[in-house]
Amino acid sequence: MKKNKASLTDKILTKVLGKEKWYGITIPLLSILFALIAGAILLLLLGKNPIVAYQSLLQGSGLLPKENYAGGKNMLTDFTSMLNVLTPMIFAALAVAVAFKAGLFNIGVSGQMLFAGFVATVTIGYSDLPVYIALPLVIIVGSAGGALIAGLIGILKFKFNINEVVSSIMLNYIIQYVVSYFIYTNFLDPVSRQSKKIADTARLTIVNFPIDKIKIDLPLGFVLAIMAIFVIRFLLKKTKLGYEIKAVGLSTKAAKYAGVSVGKTMITSMVISGALSGLAGVTYYMGYLGSIQPKVLTTVGFDAIAVSLLGNSNPFGIFFSSLLITGITKGSTYMTSTIGVSVEIASVITGLLLLFSACGMYVRHLANKSNDRIKEEQLQQLKGGEQ
Amino acid sequence: MNTVIIDGLAFALPLFIIAIGGIYSERSGITNLALEGLLGVGAFSGAICVTIIGPMFGPGSQIPMYIAFLTAMLGGMVYSMLHGVLCIKFKANQVISGVVINILAMALTTFFTSQANEGIFGKPSNKFVLTASQRITVPVLSEIPVIGAVFTNFYPYEIIIIVIAVVMFYVLYKTKYGMWLRACGDNPHAVDAAGVSVSRVRFIAVMISGALSGLGGMCFAYSISANFSQSIYVGFGYLAIAGLIFGNWKIGPTLGACLLFGFARSGGYKIVDILKMPVSFSDLVMILPYVLTLLLLVFFSKTNRAPRALGEIYDKGKR
């Protein structure tokens, strides 16, 4: 009985978090707040002004105006260049989320991105197809490339019981080395030590697009990313396949008894996840960058795992968490110049952010307990009143 | 042939000790994708320690290296407690916690490396330079054909690793704690019913995995790169995970998997060398260990089975 007494912390916790149906939003917000406070303390310890620091993060990512701009640039330039980085992140995080819903852990997003980006680069990127044929083909080839690799992982898991984490990691290495072999032997630009730049007609970002007096980089893939968010949400919420994916993710046994074909669903979800990774790959390598650096596996696929978690594996949540993480990363360069702190501080803040959000489940657990205790107390008081 | 064995072992053994750490954690029921971050933090603590205490010893002294190994184990262990707290106390998703720990480790170590270089040692740099470890050759044994290579030009850490591995094998399979640990991974309720704290057994297991990963990370820092920088994060932790899953969460087969990775890697380099292929071909040869692993898995993973309670949050009330 002692435990049922609601304490002050219970009341504060439930007040701060609001109604239970809002937990999906309030708990991440609370995590973000705590991370920003922790980051601010770190900045203070280094003798820097955290408010200026956070302000310059926003300015650097084009969400707040800077005091002065170089010629031909303004806030829009920064903002669109942030969108350029954001686009592949959204796709990659969605890819992680779809697999995660089916109980699979797609740690191979980076490898799938590289494969899709490379295949699309050599087939379409170096061709002289006109824009209206090249761009759709890039999208198709990219998503097919990613789907192929992820589908293979799904089949290996289902047919041969190979843990998807292992096969993803092995394929990451294999793709990384094979791609750099081909780049070094066939497609190397001797000056930049990267693959040769792709044709502008095949690029998913319009570089130096003139608007008024300024020039911006216009990421066409961003529109596609927004569409993908809605499509994936619809898929997971409203379709039979989405229901089956979630059922398999919650319990393969229960799903089997309910008549869901577990293997088929797993492979399908991996194929969808891979197609999204592929789109992340083409928007990254053929939009944002325009070339491929050999021997390097991008960290986007790994960061996306955390972004997806921060967004609660929910497509809308993923949009905001991608925006947040990309904003911090993109704005950090400018922050370095304003307060003179090394760039790595941004990744430390990101790391703290993810750390706090990983504790989200615990906060939810605490909040539920607090709620129970408060209800219990109210019930007791009601009973007391009746007597 | 000799170089294949020498280099293969130098790579396989650190990987093996990290994988043993992973086995401890996973057999106790805690998924540990954090190995990559743990080995990085371990190598970081060892490297910063050596940079500070190194000048106190004469040039060529090997003592700082052994202190570095100890500090690395300590650093990895302390950092792994974060994973333990998140997974056990805070009931976080273990996969997510692991990934977060990796990202945070990479951020913190690179940040503090440049901060420490600038603040303490007064020279801006993003790495700690270590002198590569000495190598030992055992006089008589190294004369034996083929097997002799095992006793030629090996790093002193290889002995440390073998000793620790034997101890770890003994603890896991022959002691009471080892039995509890394995039971925690398969049937935590039984452990609880026997009056043993599941959380405590698991927490210690995670700390062991941190210490062993730290040691492995330091070995890589001393052999492959001879410095500590961001370049330590090239996925050896993930490779160790692949190794332990390939080894079906058992120490013996995991050693086999790690040796396979090591020898396929050094063998691949050798082939490039012998056939006098252009350097670019080394990239193609480098895929050997991974392709081989995938092929072997196709044949051997039918019977693979993860610990039953792996990744599940322990809930006393659940039956």
Side-chain angles (χ1 to χ4, degrees), chain A residues 1-233:
Chain A
M1 268 288 123
K2 251 186 289 169
K3 273 195 173 171
N4 287 338
K5 190 110 181 80
S7 65
L8 187 65
T9 43
D10 288 343
K11 279 175 192 157
I12 295 173
L13 193 63
T14 43
K15 255 277 164 345
V16 170
L17 291 178
K19 286 219 178 69
E20 199 173 339
K21 62 172 177 178
W22 295 110
Y23 281 0
I25 296 168
T26 50
I27 292 178
L29 282 179
L30 198 69
S31 316
I32 293 168
L33 184 70
F34 273 113
L36 290 181
I37 293 173
I41 293 171
L42 186 65
L43 283 164
L44 281 173
L45 286 177
L46 293 169
K48 311 288 177 192
N49 184 344
I51 298 172
V52 177
Y54 289 149
Q55 199 183 349
S56 15
L57 278 185
L58 291 174
Q59 288 168 330
S61 50
L63 297 169
L64 274 183
K66 290 180 194 169
E67 272 159 31
N68 48 47
Y69 285 92
K73 291 189 173 175
N74 72 4
M75 200 173 126
L76 195 64
T77 329
D78 287 332
F79 183 67
T80 51
S81 106
M82 193 268 290
L83 289 187
N84 224 340
V85 192
L86 176 66
T87 310
M89 181 60 95
I90 292 177
F91 281 124
L94 284 175
V96 175
V98 171
F100 207 70
K101 287 275 181 200
L104 293 167
F105 186 52
N106 188 357
I107 200 173
V109 173
S110 287
Q112 291 147 26
M113 282 173 68
L114 181 57
F115 182 76
F118 177 70
V119 172
T121 296
V122 292
T123 51
I124 321 290
Y126 295 148
S127 71
D128 42 13
L129 293 168
V131 178
Y132 54 88
I133 299 176
L135 289 188
L137 273 181
V138 165
I139 306 274
I140 294 168
V141 171
S143 47
L148 189 74
I149 298 291
L152 177 67
I153 294 170
I155 291 171
L156 287 176
K157 163 106 182 171
F158 177 61
K159 287 265 182 224
F160 300 103
N161 187 31
I162 299 178
N163 188 305
E164 77 275 13
V165 174
V166 180
S167 51
S168 304
I169 294 169
M170 297 296 127
L171 283 169
N172 274 356
Y173 281 110
I174 295 173
I175 292 166
Q176 183 189 344
Y177 286 121
V178 170
V179 166
S180 60
Y181 166 76
F182 281 114
I183 290 177
Y184 277 130
T185 47
N186 290 313
F187 308 106
L188 193 70
D189 179 336
V191 181
S192 67
R193 303 300 296 167
Q194 301 202 346
S195 67
K196 281 180 257 171
K197 279 263 173 203
I198 57 168
D200 280 343
T201 44
R203 196 153 169 188
L204 289 171
T205 296
I206 305 176
V207 187
N208 290 332
F209 184 71
I211 289 185
D212 203 8
K213 276 175 197 153
I214 56 155
K215 282 179 178 170
I216 59 168
D217 291 351
L218 206 60
L220 302 175
F222 183 66
V223 185
L224 215 59
I226 298 294
M227 274 157 57
I229 289 175
F230 283 97
V231 170
I232 295 300
R233 188 184 147 83

Side-chain angles (χ1 to χ4, degrees), chain B residues 11-291:
Chain B
F11 181 77
L13 287 174
L15 201 64
F16 176 49
I17 203 73
I18 297 169
I20 292 184
I23 290 177
Y24 262 71
S25 173
E26 303 224 329
R27 283 303 285 268
S28 84
I30 303 287
T31 307
N32 200 342
L33 286 181
L35 296 179
E36 177 87 0
L38 296 177
L39 79 87
V41 171
F44 167 78
S45 346
I48 196 168
C49 167
V50 151
T51 320
I52 293 170
I53 64 158
M56 293 176 206
F57 296 86
S61 167
Q62 294 290 306
I63 303 167
M65 188 177 77
Y66 293 102
I67 300 177
F69 284 138
L70 276 181
T71 338
M73 290 178 82
L74 201 69
M77 185 157 82
V78 171
Y79 190 62
S80 70
M81 287 162 74
L82 189 61
H83 187 56
V85 170
L86 281 176
C87 294
I88 298 165
K89 176 94 179 94
F90 285 180
K91 300 175 174 21
N93 180 313
Q94 297 168 4
V95 167
I96 287 165
S97 165
V99 174
V100 169
I101 299 253
N102 287 342
I103 292 176
L104 191 65
M106 210 181 294
L108 285 176
T109 51
T110 26
F111 176 69
F112 283 117
T113 305
S114 53
Q115 285 289 323
N117 270 324
E118 213 176 297
I120 306 173
F121 310 117
K123 48 172 173 45
S125 158
N126 59 0
K127 61 183 173 200
F128 295 122
V129 180
L130 308 165
T131 43
S133 154
Q134 275 182 348
R135 290 173 173 230
I136 310 172
T137 301
V138 181
V140 183
L141 292 176
S142 58
E143 312 282 315
I144 308 169
V146 187
I147 311 167
V150 176
F151 302 100
T152 313
N153 263 341
F154 61 88
Y155 290 103
Y157 68 65
E158 294 177 34
I159 304 173
I160 305 178
I161 287 175
I162 290 169
V163 171
I164 295 182
V166 171
V167 173
M168 286 296 140
F169 184 87
Y170 179 80
V171 171
L172 188 62
Y173 294 109
K174 304 286 174 197
T175 64
K176 204 175 226 179
Y177 171 74
M179 193 183 69
W180 289 337
L181 190 149
R182 284 176 290 134
C184 276
D186 275 327
N187 192 345
H189 292 283
V191 178
D192 204 5
V196 178
S197 160
V198 174
S199 311
R200 201 155 136 204
V201 171
R202 287 184 170 177
F203 206 93
I204 295 171
V206 171
M207 282 168 71
I208 293 175
S209 81
L212 297 184
S213 307
L215 176 65
M218 196 70 227
C219 296
F220 280 132
Y222 262 119
S223 58
I224 292 182
S225 50
N227 67 40
F228 174 83
S229 69
Q230 219 179 344
S231 65
I232 194 101
Y233 300 104
V234 285
F236 292 146
Y238 292 115
L239 195 60
I241 294 169
L244 78 92
I245 297 179
F246 188 12
N248 204 7
W249 290 268
K250 293 188 182 113
I251 291 183
T254 302
L255 175 62
C258 292
L259 288 176
L260 175 74
F261 290 150
F263 290 143
R265 184 184 143 103
S266 56
Y269 279 128
K270 191 74 190 171
I271 293 171
V272 174
D273 203 38
I274 292 173
L275 299 183
K276 301 227 171 4
M277 287 192 272
V279 187
S280 50
F281 274 88
S282 67
D283 284 329
L284 271 193
V285 174
M286 283 298 285
I287 69 173
L288 262 176
Y290 313 113
V291 173

Side-chain angles (χ1 to χ4, degrees), chain A residues 131-361:
Chain A
V131 178
Y132 54 88
I133 299 176
L135 289 188
L137 273 181
V138 165
I139 306 274
I140 294 168
V141 171
S143 47
L148 189 74
I149 298 291
L152 177 67
I153 294 170
I155 291 171
L156 287 176
K157 163 106 182 171
F158 177 61
K159 287 265 182 224
F160 300 103
N161 187 31
I162 299 178
N163 188 305
E164 77 275 13
V165 174
V166 180
S167 51
S168 304
I169 294 169
M170 297 296 127
L171 283 169
N172 274 356
Y173 281 110
I174 295 173
I175 292 166
Q176 183 189 344
Y177 286 121
V178 170
V179 166
S180 60
Y181 166 76
F182 281 114
I183 290 177
Y184 277 130
T185 47
N186 290 313
F187 308 106
L188 193 70
D189 179 336
V191 181
S192 67
R193 303 300 296 167
Q194 301 202 346
S195 67
K196 281 180 257 171
K197 279 263 173 203
I198 57 168
D200 280 343
T201 44
R203 196 153 169 188
L204 289 171
T205 296
I206 305 176
V207 187
N208 290 332
F209 184 71
I211 289 185
D212 203 8
K213 276 175 197 153
I214 56 155
K215 282 179 178 170
I216 59 168
D217 291 351
L218 206 60
L220 302 175
F222 183 66
V223 185
L224 215 59
I226 298 294
M227 274 157 57
I229 289 175
F230 283 97
V231 170
I232 295 300
R233 188 184 147 83
F234 179 77
L235 173 86
L236 289 174
K237 282 232 160 182
K238 305 277 180 201
T239 64
K240 180 164 164 262
L241 178 64
Y243 179 78
E244 287 176 346
I245 287 177
K246 284 187 286 185
V248 170
L250 289 172
S251 162
T252 42
K253 266 187 198 155
K256 211 175 189 171
Y257 282 125
V260 177
S261 159
V262 174
K264 207 179 109 198
T265 313
M266 274 186 178
I267 295 170
T268 317
S269 75
M270 271 317 264
V271 166
I272 298 171
S273 170
L276 289 163
S277 307
L279 290 173
V282 288
T283 48
Y284 186 73
Y285 291 110
M286 302 185 73
Y288 174 50
L289 293 176
S291 63
I292 300 173
Q293 191 184 357
K295 288 216 166 171
V296 177
L297 202 59
T298 165
T299 59
V300 172
F302 297 96
D303 295 344
I305 297 167
V307 167
S308 175
L309 135 85
L310 188 59
N312 229 343
S313 299
N314 171 317
F316 291 157
I318 283 173
F319 174 76
F320 289 105
S321 57
S322 307
L323 186 65
L324 183 72
I325 302 288
T326 315
I328 293 176
T329 322
K330 189 74 191 159
S332 60
T333 328
Y334 182 64
M335 182 176 76
T336 311
S337 67
T338 53
I339 62 166
V341 60
S342 57
V343 190
E344 287 90 17
I345 187 88
S347 33
V348 173
I349 295 174
T350 315
L352 289 171
L353 190 64
L354 299 170
L355 185 70
F356 282 110
S357 54
C359 303
M361 276 304 283

Side-chain angles (χ1 to χ4, degrees), chain A residues 362-377:
Chain A
Y362 185 59
V363 178
R364 182 183 282 258
H365 170 76
L366 284 183
N368 283 337
K369 269 192 170 171
S370 300
N371 259 335
D372 288 349
R373 276 197 290 265
I374 287 173
K375 271 182 203 146
E376 185 76 17
E377 199 181 53

